[in-house]
Amino acid sequence: MTSSSSSALRDIQRDLETKANDLSKIQKDIAKNHQVRKKYTIQLGENELVLKELDLLNEGANVYKLIGPVLVKQDLAEANANVRKRIEYISAELKRLDSTLQDLEEKQNSKKDAILKLQQRIQSLQAGKAKA
Amino acid sequence: MGEPGLKGTVTSLSSMFPVEEAEKAAKRVEEALEEKRKEKNRLNEFIADNTSLTNLVQKLPDELHHDIMVPFGKAAFFPGRLIHTNEFMVLLGEGYYAERTAKQTVEILKRREKSLESQVNSLKATMEDLKLEASFFDTTALEASEGLVEIREEYVEENSAETESGLVEQDSISFTETDNTKGAFENEEYACILSRLDELEKEEELAAENDREKSEDSFAEVDSKKVEAVDEKWARVMSRLDELEKEELTAQSDEEKDEDQQTDASESKSDEDEQTEVDFGRKNNADHNSRYQTLMHSESTKPPQQRKDKHTTLEGLSNKHQQPDLTNELNCTGLTVEPAPEDGRSISRNMPQKVETLNPSENSSVLPDRKVKFQVEDSSRKEAAVQTKKPGFDSSKAFTGSIVEHAQNLQVLQRQPGTSSQSLGPQPSKPISRFKMQRK
């Protein structure tokens, strides 16, 4: 009796460990997600600033783009279009990241609940064993 | 004072806010504050760089060419010339450059500076909030460590007939929704008050008519004397109002929950605040005669409603709502109370010299002096009146007008502008604006 209950106890504990590992992985993913989101948000802000300045330029003002060590002359209209496309791309990325973040958080909560339940089972088993 | 059979609880603040936790919270807020400070420093550096760059850009076009040392590689320079002194390649962001003249560059830099400054301002605002939080945690930690206790006692009504305090208590009770009624006694008291108010009203009307020709200042002086004269009446009315306010506050105890945690000092601070509010109200008396007359008329015709208004408005005082009404109603009561000469004069003569300490909190005029005297006397009377009620005081109503026990603390509190300004801060400005509203 006791051996079977103790083996059951060990099983539950192993289960608990695996679940705990999963939880920590999920939490790392959430942290990474936050970082990437921060980067994208900063880039978005910068791009919007650039767009504002470009709008203030008259026609015929020279715009250059730094590609590696090279400054390349660009057309004003082209630069405008590029910056706008980049802004759209970044916002789409941010939305995607938001949804991923939501999923991750849900998974994290469910894992936490599962771990809690396991812990309760362990406690009840141990209390039962102590009584016996 | 001591009422037999009072039940109550004594909870040490340290049990509600464990000392270590309060200290930890204080540390956390400190750290957050540090971070924000670093951010602010960074932003300030940026702003400084921006300014120096703007100056340089403005100076360059002064010459056709500048003789400079040109950097050559990582560790060398050679002498050379800076030509094209009006052409700047400005980095717009994300690897985009634009060719601009000096003036246009300066404009770009100015726009950047503006955004930087707005960032700094928002950071400052958050820092202020954090500072408040930190101070709150610090005080609670201190209090908890000192073993300050929070005493809650049930409110048991007293049936004493002779003292004003007894009258006051029961009178106030009659106007609460939640309290148990005390029957005919309140009605009697109510009738008495009504009749007195009517008398005073009439006297005030006469006095106001006489004074209408005089200037504001002279009226203030006359008014002040009347004020002095009727301190007793005012004290009674005030204490009644305080009770009303307290009862009203029980209904709104949710808002006050945070303020519960503050010490008695804060409560007496609020009392002081209320008194200064009253003061402002009375000062307004001096300035607007006709308005008061109309107010008084309305008062005579609708005493119950006015009572309720006083009730609610006093509560508003402590909750910082409904302040226009407050001044109105207070003015009413102040005026009606004024013209009863006999009682007040003798009392006012016995006033201690605590007047000066309360002066700084008020505008300079003849009136505040008298008012202050009256207030202190008022407080002392209320002290006697309210001490019987002290057990009934609910600490959940921190900013009530129950006041008074700390008449001697009024001096101390006045010298703590930092702390009192927290509760008093928004209020001094508001009375002034209320006056403006009234003047319309």
Side-chain angles (χ1 to χ4, degrees):
Chain A
M1 266 302 295
T2 36
S3 63
S4 67
S5 61
S6 59
S7 64
L9 192 65
R10 258 179 267 130
D11 281 341
I12 296 183
Q13 281 180 330
R14 251 177 276 138
D15 217 1
L16 193 67
E17 279 181 39
T18 45
K19 288 232 161 42
N21 290 340
D22 291 341
L23 188 67
S24 61
K25 249 201 301 171
I26 293 181
Q27 284 177 331
K28 277 196 217 126
D29 286 341
I30 289 186
K32 252 200 305 177
N33 198 307
H34 273 297
Q35 267 186 331
V36 181
R37 268 182 91 228
K38 241 202 270 181
K39 225 181 41 159
Y40 274 135
T41 323
I42 296 179
Q43 279 189 349
L44 186 67
E46 203 177 331
N47 270 297
E48 297 201 342
L49 216 62
V50 175
L51 193 63
K52 254 203 289 177
E53 290 287 347
L54 283 180
D55 288 338
L56 285 171
L57 287 178
N58 327 340
E59 277 302 321
N62 299 330
V63 177
Y64 299 83
K65 172 117 192 182
L66 187 69
I67 305 181
V70 182
L71 252 190
V72 179
K73 187 158 156 61
Q74 276 217 330
D75 191 21
L76 181 62
E78 205 182 320
N80 261 320
N82 283 345
V83 173
R84 288 219 174 87
K85 279 225 191 74
R86 188 144 169 80
I87 288 182
E88 283 175 22
Y89 170 72
I90 295 183
S91 342
E93 276 293 309
L94 267 180
K95 260 196 250 170
R96 201 175 54 85
L97 280 176
D98 276 342
S99 57
T100 334
L101 187 69
Q102 286 263 13
D103 291 338
L104 282 179
E105 282 191 350
E106 278 172 34
K107 264 201 260 176
Q108 183 194 53
N109 288 340
S110 63
K111 277 272 173 332
K112 273 195 198 149
D113 292 337
I115 287 183
L116 219 64
K117 276 195 215 133
L118 279 181
Q119 281 178 335
Q120 285 172 349
R121 276 183 65 192
I122 287 184
Q123 278 180 358
S124 57
L125 270 182
Q126 283 179 335
K129 262 175 67 178
K131 264 203 229 165
Chain B
M1 285 224 330
E3 295 185 0
L6 257 192
K7 296 175 225 157
T9 57
V10 174
T11 42
S12 127
L13 264 185
S14 53
S15 68
M16 292 209 315
F17 304 105
V19 187
E20 306 90 28
E21 284 195 19
E23 286 173 357
K24 269 191 233 158
K27 273 202 204 103
R28 276 203 306 262
V29 178
E30 268 296 315
E31 285 167 11
L33 209 60
E34 262 308 305
E35 281 188 34
K36 293 281 184 271
R37 228 173 268 148
K38 277 193 222 139
E39 264 298 306
K40 206 167 89 141
N41 285 340
R42 257 184 71 222
L43 287 179
N44 283 337
E45 277 182 31
F46 288 164
I47 295 184
D49 285 343
N50 203 311
T51 336
S52 60
L53 186 60
T54 323
N55 291 340
L56 181 66
V57 166
Q58 278 171 337
K59 274 210 328 228
L60 278 183
D62 289 344
E63 300 278 339
L64 276 178
H65 37 237
H66 295 268
D67 289 323
I68 56 171
M69 290 298 269
V70 185
F72 194 53
K74 270 194 230 174
F77 295 87
F78 63 83
R81 267 204 180 149
L82 186 67
I83 53 180
H84 297 291
T85 51
N86 203 23
E87 291 163 36
F88 293 86
M89 195 83 76
V90 187
L91 172 68
L92 305 175
E94 280 288 311
Y96 281 96
Y97 289 79
E99 240 184 344
R100 305 256 81 197
T101 69
K103 262 204 332 198
Q104 293 159 336
T105 316
V106 167
E107 280 170 24
I108 295 182
L109 288 177
K110 279 213 169 85
R111 266 174 265 148
R112 282 197 200 152
E113 191 180 340
K114 249 194 271 181
S115 78
L116 275 179
E117 287 197 351
S118 69
Q119 275 185 42
V120 169
N121 286 340
S122 66
L123 210 62
K124 264 191 208 159
T126 37
M127 269 182 73
E128 283 298 319
D129 294 338
L130 281 179
K131 270 189 203 148
L132 283 176
E133 236 185 288
S135 68
F136 167 68
F137 280 129
D138 282 340
T139 46
T140 37
L142 203 66
E143 292 159 11
S145 62
E146 283 176 358
L148 211 68
V149 294
E150 182 182 333
I151 307 176
R152 286 172 183 261
E153 291 181 353
E154 288 183 12
Y155 173 66
V156 176
E157 190 230 338
E158 210 180 79
N159 271 326
S160 62
E162 1 73 50
T163 62
E164 288 182 13
S165 59
L167 292 179
V168 166
E169 288 175 56
Q170 291 164 5
D171 187 44
S172 65
I173 291 161
S174 65
F175 299 107
T176 65
E177 297 106 3
T178 58
D179 229 41
N180 309 325
T181 61
K182 318 299 180 238
F185 204 94
E186 297 165 339
N187 297 337
E188 283 178 36
E189 168 68 9
Y190 184 53
C192 288
I193 297 169
L194 272 185
S195 54
R196 271 191 222 116
L197 283 174
D198 288 338
E199 294 168 33
L200 299 172
E201 238 183 336
K202 285 175 202 147
E203 292 181 57
E204 169 63 19
E205 283 181 40
L206 291 175
E209 281 175 16
N210 293 341
D211 294 333
R212 218 181 296 181
E213 298 118 25
K214 299 183 194 167
S215 67
E216 283 193 0
D217 286 341
S218 55
F219 179 74
E221 288 178 301
V222 172
D223 200 19
S224 66
K225 282 175 192 140
K226 288 187 201 158
V227 169
E228 226 179 317
V230 295
D231 289 347
E232 183 189 4
K233 190 99 257 129
W234 178 245
R236 258 184 251 134
V237 174
M238 274 310 299
S239 43
R240 253 178 256 123
L241 293 177
D242 297 336
E243 300 317 318
L244 293 178
E245 181 194 3
K246 250 199 281 175
E247 299 307 331
E248 190 61 24
L249 278 176
T250 47
Q252 297 200 5
S253 60
D254 289 350
E255 286 178 354
E256 305 291 354
K257 272 288 162 57
D258 294 347
E259 296 158 359
D260 293 350
Q261 323 304 350
Q262 304 197 9
T263 63
D264 291 346
S266 68
E267 287 156 11
S268 48
K269 255 183 272 167
S270 66
D271 303 339
E272 188 190 7
D273 296 346
E274 190 194 27
Q275 289 191 351
T276 44
E277 288 284 350
V278 170
D279 245 9
F280 283 124
R282 307 211 65 201
K283 183 177 190 234
N284 207 17
N285 283 349
D287 298 339
H288 305 281
N289 309 337
S290 50
R291 171 175 255 112
Y292 296 158
Q293 292 203 356
T294 56
L295 285 177
M296 286 185 316
H297 286 304
S298 68
E299 178 185 351
S300 63
T301 53
K302 309 174 192 170
Q305 183 188 346
Q306 184 216 359
R307 271 311 162 99
K308 196 70 171 73
D309 289 339
K310 258 192 266 177
H311 182 82
T312 52
T313 53
L314 256 189
E315 164 216 344
L317 165 63
S318 66
N319 289 344
K320 297 169 187 167
H321 307 302
Q322 307 172 12
Q323 285 182 340
D325 299 336
L326 174 62
T327 340
N328 257 349
E329 298 299 339
L330 281 181
N331 294 341
C332 275
T333 54
L335 275 179
T336 58
V337 171
E338 278 169 10
E342 324 82 12
D343 307 335
R345 237 175 247 139
S346 55
I347 298 172
S348 60
R349 270 182 220 130
N350 300 337
M351 277 311 305
Q353 301 315 313
K354 295 182 187 175
V355 176
E356 303 77 28
T357 62
L358 288 181
N359 272 341
S361 71
E362 299 161 350
N363 310 333
S364 57
S365 81
V366 179
L367 198 50
D369 273 348
R370 312 281 195 254
K371 278 192 226 162
V372 163
K373 269 193 199 165
F374 133 79
Q375 269 191 2
V376 182
E377 175 255 2
D378 181 29
S379 65
S380 58
R381 286 188 134 275
K382 276 189 273 183
E383 198 169 2
V386 176
Q387 283 204 344
T388 53
K389 277 192 58 74
K390 184 185 177 190
F393 176 78
D394 190 339
S395 66
S396 69
K397 308 170 213 149
F399 291 99
T400 69
S402 62
I403 326 174
V404 205
E405 319 149 9
H406 306 277
Q408 70 274 16
N409 285 354
L410 283 174
Q411 283 189 359
V412 180
L413 285 174
Q414 269 300 325
R415 293 187 198 122
Q416 297 173 355
T419 47
S420 62
S421 66
Q422 280 188 11
S423 50
L424 192 56
Q427 294 185 4
S429 57
K430 279 186 188 165
I432 299 172
S433 61
R434 280 212 305 283
F435 297 155
K436 284 189 190 151
M437 281 173 61
Q438 283 204 349
R439 276 176 197 140
K440 286 174 199 160

